[in-house]
Amino acid sequence: MFHFTLFDTPKILTKKYIQSVGKALEEVTKKPQKWIINIITVSPEEIAFLNKSYRGKEWPTDILTFPYRDTVEKETD
């Protein structure tokens, strides 16, 4: 199961909605996952700054993703 941590999240993103996102992600990945997903909402100005800082793009974007760890371990079944 996915674990979500929400920071300064608009009220429109309810716990029930976030849980439905986790369920949809598990369906796409075909099995339960033990991942952590942090969702942080920011202003258009802040996302534009982050987009420029990390991607070199000088405009707002709808989403930025970052790895939780520096290295990804190979999953074994």
Side-chain angles (χ1 to χ4, degrees):
M1 174 162 189
F2 287 90
H3 172 79
F4 292 90
T5 303
L6 307 174
F7 299 92
D8 298 325
T9 306
K11 290 182 182 183
I12 194 169
L13 294 177
T14 64
K15 183 177 181 178
K16 184 177 179 179
Y17 177 79
I18 296 300
Q19 289 172 334
S20 70
V21 169
K23 183 175 173 79
L25 287 170
E26 287 179 350
E27 288 175 14
V28 169
T29 59
K30 306 291 187 217
K31 62 181 180 177
Q33 302 295 316
K34 294 180 182 176
W35 297 348
I36 297 173
I37 298 175
N38 296 310
I39 299 173
I40 304 170
T41 57
V42 297
S43 69
E45 295 80 17
E46 190 169 355
I47 197 71
F49 172 79
L50 293 169
N51 201 27
K52 177 158 177 49
S53 297
Y54 289 97
R55 298 180 60 227
K57 311 290 184 181
E58 296 191 30
W59 53 81
T61 184
D62 59 350
I63 189 169
L64 289 172
T65 61
F66 301 94
Y68 186 69
R69 296 178 274 191
D70 291 335
T71 60
V72 176
E73 297 173 16
K74 184 177 180 182
E75 183 177 322
T76 59
D77 291 320

PDB file of all heavy atoms in Angstrom, residues 26-50:
ATOM      1  N   GLU A  26      -1.674   1.323  -7.429  1.00  0.00           N
ATOM      2  CA  GLU A  26      -1.435  -0.103  -7.220  1.00  0.00           C
ATOM      3  C   GLU A  26      -1.995  -0.937  -8.365  1.00  0.00           C
ATOM      4  O   GLU A  26      -1.386  -1.927  -8.771  1.00  0.00           O
ATOM      5  CB  GLU A  26      -2.020  -0.547  -5.881  1.00  0.00           C
ATOM      6  CG  GLU A  26      -1.196  -0.042  -4.718  1.00  0.00           C
ATOM      7  CD  GLU A  26      -1.752  -0.440  -3.368  1.00  0.00           C
ATOM      8  OE1 GLU A  26      -2.885  -0.951  -3.283  1.00  0.00           O
ATOM      9  OE2 GLU A  26      -1.039  -0.218  -2.376  1.00  0.00           O
ATOM     10  N   GLU A  27      -3.130  -0.537  -8.910  1.00  0.00           N
ATOM     11  CA  GLU A  27      -3.698  -1.259 -10.049  1.00  0.00           C
ATOM     12  C   GLU A  27      -2.785  -1.146 -11.270  1.00  0.00           C
ATOM     13  O   GLU A  27      -2.603  -2.116 -12.005  1.00  0.00           O
ATOM     14  CB  GLU A  27      -5.092  -0.729 -10.363  1.00  0.00           C
ATOM     15  CG  GLU A  27      -6.127  -1.128  -9.324  1.00  0.00           C
ATOM     16  CD  GLU A  27      -7.493  -0.521  -9.564  1.00  0.00           C
ATOM     17  OE1 GLU A  27      -7.744   0.002 -10.678  1.00  0.00           O
ATOM     18  OE2 GLU A  27      -8.316  -0.563  -8.644  1.00  0.00           O
ATOM     19  N   VAL A  28      -2.204   0.017 -11.469  1.00  0.00           N
ATOM     20  CA  VAL A  28      -1.296   0.226 -12.603  1.00  0.00           C
ATOM     21  C   VAL A  28      -0.022  -0.588 -12.428  1.00  0.00           C
ATOM     22  O   VAL A  28       0.491  -1.155 -13.386  1.00  0.00           O
ATOM     23  CB  VAL A  28      -0.962   1.726 -12.767  1.00  0.00           C
ATOM     24  CG1 VAL A  28       0.177   1.950 -13.752  1.00  0.00           C
ATOM     25  CG2 VAL A  28      -2.195   2.494 -13.214  1.00  0.00           C
ATOM     26  N   THR A  29       0.489  -0.664 -11.207  1.00  0.00           N
ATOM     27  CA  THR A  29       1.737  -1.400 -10.968  1.00  0.00           C
ATOM     28  C   THR A  29       1.500  -2.895 -10.760  1.00  0.00           C
ATOM     29  O   THR A  29       2.447  -3.656 -10.616  1.00  0.00           O
ATOM     30  CB  THR A  29       2.492  -0.829  -9.750  1.00  0.00           C
ATOM     31  OG1 THR A  29       1.652  -0.908  -8.595  1.00  0.00           O
ATOM     32  CG2 THR A  29       2.921   0.596  -9.985  1.00  0.00           C
ATOM     33  N   LYS A  30       0.252  -3.311 -10.740  1.00  0.00           N
ATOM     34  CA  LYS A  30      -0.163  -4.723 -10.690  1.00  0.00           C
ATOM     35  C   LYS A  30       0.024  -5.420  -9.346  1.00  0.00           C
ATOM     36  O   LYS A  30      -0.259  -6.592  -9.225  1.00  0.00           O
ATOM     37  CB  LYS A  30       0.543  -5.554 -11.770  1.00  0.00           C
ATOM     38  CG  LYS A  30       0.393  -5.006 -13.155  1.00  0.00           C
ATOM     39  CD  LYS A  30      -1.023  -5.137 -13.661  1.00  0.00           C
ATOM     40  CE  LYS A  30      -1.078  -4.716 -15.123  1.00  0.00           C
ATOM     41  NZ  LYS A  30      -2.222  -4.020 -15.519  1.00  0.00           N
ATOM     42  N   LYS A  31       0.563  -4.743  -8.341  1.00  0.00           N
ATOM     43  CA  LYS A  31       0.669  -5.360  -7.025  1.00  0.00           C
ATOM     44  C   LYS A  31       0.832  -4.263  -5.976  1.00  0.00           C
ATOM     45  O   LYS A  31       1.233  -3.145  -6.291  1.00  0.00           O
ATOM     46  CB  LYS A  31       1.842  -6.325  -6.962  1.00  0.00           C
ATOM     47  CG  LYS A  31       3.200  -5.699  -7.192  1.00  0.00           C
ATOM     48  CD  LYS A  31       4.290  -6.750  -7.129  1.00  0.00           C
ATOM     49  CE  LYS A  31       5.644  -6.120  -7.348  1.00  0.00           C
ATOM     50  NZ  LYS A  31       6.720  -7.071  -7.224  1.00  0.00           N
ATOM     51  N   PRO A  32       0.525  -4.593  -4.715  1.00  0.00           N
ATOM     52  CA  PRO A  32       0.690  -3.589  -3.656  1.00  0.00           C
ATOM     53  C   PRO A  32       2.135  -3.111  -3.570  1.00  0.00           C
ATOM     54  O   PRO A  32       3.066  -3.894  -3.760  1.00  0.00           O
ATOM     55  CB  PRO A  32       0.278  -4.334  -2.385  1.00  0.00           C
ATOM     56  CG  PRO A  32      -0.587  -5.444  -2.864  1.00  0.00           C
ATOM     57  CD  PRO A  32      -0.041  -5.832  -4.222  1.00  0.00           C
ATOM     58  N   GLN A  33       2.311  -1.852  -3.287  1.00  0.00           N
ATOM     59  CA  GLN A  33       3.644  -1.263  -3.190  1.00  0.00           C
ATOM     60  C   GLN A  33       3.876  -0.740  -1.780  1.00  0.00           C
ATOM     61  O   GLN A  33       2.940  -0.409  -1.070  1.00  0.00           O
ATOM     62  CB  GLN A  33       3.779  -0.099  -4.181  1.00  0.00           C
ATOM     63  CG  GLN A  33       3.545  -0.478  -5.622  1.00  0.00           C
ATOM     64  CD  GLN A  33       4.580  -1.430  -6.158  1.00  0.00           C
ATOM     65  OE1 GLN A  33       5.763  -1.260  -5.920  1.00  0.00           O
ATOM     66  NE2 GLN A  33       4.144  -2.431  -6.887  1.00  0.00           N
ATOM     67  N   LYS A  34       5.121  -0.635  -1.399  1.00  0.00           N
ATOM     68  CA  LYS A  34       5.508  -0.051  -0.109  1.00  0.00           C
ATOM     69  C   LYS A  34       6.298   1.222  -0.384  1.00  0.00           C
ATOM     70  O   LYS A  34       7.448   1.338  -0.009  1.00  0.00           O
ATOM     71  CB  LYS A  34       6.324  -1.046   0.703  1.00  0.00           C
ATOM     72  CG  LYS A  34       5.540  -2.258   1.115  1.00  0.00           C
ATOM     73  CD  LYS A  34       6.384  -3.216   1.916  1.00  0.00           C
ATOM     74  CE  LYS A  34       5.579  -4.444   2.266  1.00  0.00           C
ATOM     75  NZ  LYS A  34       6.376  -5.444   2.963  1.00  0.00           N
ATOM     76  N   TRP A  35       5.676   2.140  -1.076  1.00  0.00           N
ATOM     77  CA  TRP A  35       6.326   3.390  -1.439  1.00  0.00           C
ATOM     78  C   TRP A  35       5.801   4.514  -0.566  1.00  0.00           C
ATOM     79  O   TRP A  35       4.732   4.432   0.006  1.00  0.00           O
ATOM     80  CB  TRP A  35       6.051   3.734  -2.893  1.00  0.00           C
ATOM     81  CG  TRP A  35       6.582   2.758  -3.880  1.00  0.00           C
ATOM     82  CD1 TRP A  35       7.462   1.725  -3.653  1.00  0.00           C
ATOM     83  CD2 TRP A  35       6.258   2.682  -5.260  1.00  0.00           C
ATOM     84  NE1 TRP A  35       7.711   1.043  -4.810  1.00  0.00           N
ATOM     85  CE2 TRP A  35       6.981   1.606  -5.825  1.00  0.00           C
ATOM     86  CE3 TRP A  35       5.438   3.414  -6.088  1.00  0.00           C
ATOM     87  CZ2 TRP A  35       6.906   1.263  -7.160  1.00  0.00           C
ATOM     88  CZ3 TRP A  35       5.356   3.077  -7.426  1.00  0.00           C
ATOM     89  CH2 TRP A  35       6.092   2.014  -7.946  1.00  0.00           C
ATOM     90  N   ILE A  36       6.573   5.576  -0.489  1.00  0.00           N
ATOM     91  CA  ILE A  36       6.140   6.789   0.185  1.00  0.00           C
ATOM     92  C   ILE A  36       6.017   7.881  -0.868  1.00  0.00           C
ATOM     93  O   ILE A  36       6.939   8.091  -1.657  1.00  0.00           O
ATOM     94  CB  ILE A  36       7.147   7.220   1.271  1.00  0.00           C
ATOM     95  CG1 ILE A  36       7.233   6.142   2.353  1.00  0.00           C
ATOM     96  CG2 ILE A  36       6.761   8.565   1.866  1.00  0.00           C
ATOM     97  CD1 ILE A  36       8.319   6.389   3.372  1.00  0.00           C
ATOM     98  N   ILE A  37       4.882   8.550  -0.867  1.00  0.00           N
ATOM     99  CA  ILE A  37       4.654   9.647  -1.807  1.00  0.00           C
ATOM    100  C   ILE A  37       4.317  10.887  -0.986  1.00  0.00           C
ATOM    101  O   ILE A  37       3.373  10.882  -0.203  1.00  0.00           O
ATOM    102  CB  ILE A  37       3.507   9.326  -2.779  1.00  0.00           C
ATOM    103  CG1 ILE A  37       3.873   8.097  -3.620  1.00  0.00           C
ATOM    104  CG2 ILE A  37       3.188  10.549  -3.661  1.00  0.00           C
ATOM    105  CD1 ILE A  37       2.771   7.620  -4.525  1.00  0.00           C
ATOM    106  N   ASN A  38       5.117  11.924  -1.136  1.00  0.00           N
ATOM    107  CA  ASN A  38       4.847  13.205  -0.487  1.00  0.00           C
ATOM    108  C   ASN A  38       4.238  14.132  -1.524  1.00  0.00           C
ATOM    109  O   ASN A  38       4.784  14.278  -2.620  1.00  0.00           O
ATOM    110  CB  ASN A  38       6.137  13.824   0.064  1.00  0.00           C
ATOM    111  CG  ASN A  38       6.756  12.974   1.149  1.00  0.00           C
ATOM    112  OD1 ASN A  38       6.084  12.567   2.074  1.00  0.00           O
ATOM    113  ND2 ASN A  38       8.033  12.696   1.025  1.00  0.00           N
ATOM    114  N   ILE A  39       3.132  14.756  -1.169  1.00  0.00           N
ATOM    115  CA  ILE A  39       2.476  15.706  -2.060  1.00  0.00           C
ATOM    116  C   ILE A  39       2.566  17.080  -1.418  1.00  0.00           C
ATOM    117  O   ILE A  39       2.109  17.272  -0.288  1.00  0.00           O
ATOM    118  CB  ILE A  39       1.001  15.324  -2.304  1.00  0.00           C
ATOM    119  CG1 ILE A  39       0.936  13.942  -2.959  1.00  0.00           C
ATOM    120  CG2 ILE A  39       0.301  16.395  -3.137  1.00  0.00           C
ATOM    121  CD1 ILE A  39      -0.469  13.396  -3.085  1.00  0.00           C
ATOM    122  N   ILE A  40       3.175  18.012  -2.125  1.00  0.00           N
ATOM    123  CA  ILE A  40       3.317  19.378  -1.626  1.00  0.00           C
ATOM    124  C   ILE A  40       2.726  20.314  -2.677  1.00  0.00           C
ATOM    125  O   ILE A  40       3.136  20.274  -3.840  1.00  0.00           O
ATOM    126  CB  ILE A  40       4.799  19.735  -1.368  1.00  0.00           C
ATOM    127  CG1 ILE A  40       5.416  18.728  -0.392  1.00  0.00           C
ATOM    128  CG2 ILE A  40       4.925  21.155  -0.852  1.00  0.00           C
ATOM    129  CD1 ILE A  40       6.917  18.836  -0.260  1.00  0.00           C
ATOM    130  N   THR A  41       1.783  21.124  -2.279  1.00  0.00           N
ATOM    131  CA  THR A  41       1.204  22.081  -3.219  1.00  0.00           C
ATOM    132  C   THR A  41       1.862  23.443  -3.006  1.00  0.00           C
ATOM    133  O   THR A  41       2.152  23.829  -1.869  1.00  0.00           O
ATOM    134  CB  THR A  41      -0.323  22.189  -3.040  1.00  0.00           C
ATOM    135  OG1 THR A  41      -0.604  22.550  -1.684  1.00  0.00           O
ATOM    136  CG2 THR A  41      -1.006  20.873  -3.347  1.00  0.00           C
ATOM    137  N   VAL A  42       2.126  24.127  -4.107  1.00  0.00           N
ATOM    138  CA  VAL A  42       2.793  25.423  -4.047  1.00  0.00           C
ATOM    139  C   VAL A  42       2.115  26.385  -5.025  1.00  0.00           C
ATOM    140  O   VAL A  42       1.339  25.984  -5.891  1.00  0.00           O
ATOM    141  CB  VAL A  42       4.300  25.307  -4.396  1.00  0.00           C
ATOM    142  CG1 VAL A  42       5.024  24.433  -3.381  1.00  0.00           C
ATOM    143  CG2 VAL A  42       4.502  24.763  -5.785  1.00  0.00           C
ATOM    144  N   SER A  43       2.453  27.654  -4.909  1.00  0.00           N
ATOM    145  CA  SER A  43       1.894  28.677  -5.789  1.00  0.00           C
ATOM    146  C   SER A  43       2.493  28.554  -7.190  1.00  0.00           C
ATOM    147  O   SER A  43       3.553  27.941  -7.372  1.00  0.00           O
ATOM    148  CB  SER A  43       2.214  30.068  -5.230  1.00  0.00           C
ATOM    149  OG  SER A  43       3.611  30.316  -5.336  1.00  0.00           O
ATOM    150  N   PRO A  44       1.852  29.153  -8.193  1.00  0.00           N
ATOM    151  CA  PRO A  44       2.422  29.139  -9.546  1.00  0.00           C
ATOM    152  C   PRO A  44       3.822  29.763  -9.594  1.00  0.00           C
ATOM    153  O   PRO A  44       4.688  29.285 -10.320  1.00  0.00           O
ATOM    154  CB  PRO A  44       1.426  29.961 -10.367  1.00  0.00           C
ATOM    155  CG  PRO A  44       0.128  29.817  -9.633  1.00  0.00           C
ATOM    156  CD  PRO A  44       0.513  29.751  -8.175  1.00  0.00           C
ATOM    157  N   GLU A  45       4.042  30.788  -8.779  1.00  0.00           N
ATOM    158  CA  GLU A  45       5.359  31.426  -8.756  1.00  0.00           C
ATOM    159  C   GLU A  45       6.420  30.480  -8.200  1.00  0.00           C
ATOM    160  O   GLU A  45       7.535  30.390  -8.724  1.00  0.00           O
ATOM    161  CB  GLU A  45       5.317  32.715  -7.914  1.00  0.00           C
ATOM    162  CG  GLU A  45       4.441  33.808  -8.483  1.00  0.00           C
ATOM    163  CD  GLU A  45       2.949  33.611  -8.206  1.00  0.00           C
ATOM    164  OE1 GLU A  45       2.574  32.823  -7.314  1.00  0.00           O
ATOM    165  OE2 GLU A  45       2.138  34.254  -8.911  1.00  0.00           O
ATOM    166  N   GLU A  46       6.065  29.760  -7.143  1.00  0.00           N
ATOM    167  CA  GLU A  46       7.036  28.839  -6.544  1.00  0.00           C
ATOM    168  C   GLU A  46       7.324  27.653  -7.455  1.00  0.00           C
ATOM    169  O   GLU A  46       8.475  27.243  -7.594  1.00  0.00           O
ATOM    170  CB  GLU A  46       6.544  28.350  -5.181  1.00  0.00           C
ATOM    171  CG  GLU A  46       7.611  27.591  -4.439  1.00  0.00           C
ATOM    172  CD  GLU A  46       7.271  27.301  -2.989  1.00  0.00           C
ATOM    173  OE1 GLU A  46       6.225  27.767  -2.497  1.00  0.00           O
ATOM    174  OE2 GLU A  46       8.065  26.606  -2.344  1.00  0.00           O
ATOM    175  N   ILE A  47       6.303  27.114  -8.113  1.00  0.00           N
ATOM    176  CA  ILE A  47       6.541  25.982  -9.019  1.00  0.00           C
ATOM    177  C   ILE A  47       7.380  26.438 -10.215  1.00  0.00           C
ATOM    178  O   ILE A  47       8.218  25.684 -10.707  1.00  0.00           O
ATOM    179  CB  ILE A  47       5.235  25.274  -9.440  1.00  0.00           C
ATOM    180  CG1 ILE A  47       5.535  23.876 -10.010  1.00  0.00           C
ATOM    181  CG2 ILE A  47       4.451  26.064 -10.448  1.00  0.00           C
ATOM    182  CD1 ILE A  47       5.974  22.876  -9.027  1.00  0.00           C
ATOM    183  N   ALA A  48       7.186  27.677 -10.676  1.00  0.00           N
ATOM    184  CA  ALA A  48       8.016  28.208 -11.767  1.00  0.00           C
ATOM    185  C   ALA A  48       9.473  28.307 -11.314  1.00  0.00           C
ATOM    186  O   ALA A  48      10.397  27.940 -12.056  1.00  0.00           O
ATOM    187  CB  ALA A  48       7.506  29.570 -12.222  1.00  0.00           C
ATOM    188  N   PHE A  49       9.693  28.769 -10.074  1.00  0.00           N
ATOM    189  CA  PHE A  49      11.053  28.856  -9.528  1.00  0.00           C
ATOM    190  C   PHE A  49      11.679  27.469  -9.432  1.00  0.00           C
ATOM    191  O   PHE A  49      12.834  27.260  -9.833  1.00  0.00           O
ATOM    192  CB  PHE A  49      11.028  29.539  -8.159  1.00  0.00           C
ATOM    193  CG  PHE A  49      12.343  29.501  -7.450  1.00  0.00           C
ATOM    194  CD1 PHE A  49      13.349  30.390  -7.797  1.00  0.00           C
ATOM    195  CD2 PHE A  49      12.591  28.571  -6.457  1.00  0.00           C
ATOM    196  CE1 PHE A  49      14.588  30.348  -7.160  1.00  0.00           C
ATOM    197  CE2 PHE A  49      13.812  28.516  -5.807  1.00  0.00           C
ATOM    198  CZ  PHE A  49      14.812  29.410  -6.164  1.00  0.00           C
ATOM    199  N   LEU A  50      10.940  26.501  -8.907  1.00  0.00           N
ATOM    200  CA  LEU A  50      11.454  25.140  -8.781  1.00  0.00           C
ATOM    201  C   LEU A  50      11.723  24.506 -10.142  1.00  0.00           C
ATOM    202  O   LEU A  50      12.728  23.817 -10.334  1.00  0.00           O
ATOM    203  CB  LEU A  50      10.477  24.273  -7.984  1.00  0.00           C
ATOM    204  CG  LEU A  50      10.311  24.653  -6.512  1.00  0.00           C
ATOM    205  CD1 LEU A  50       9.136  23.905  -5.896  1.00  0.00           C
ATOM    206  CD2 LEU A  50      11.597  24.393  -5.744  1.00  0.00           C
TER     207      LEU A  50
END
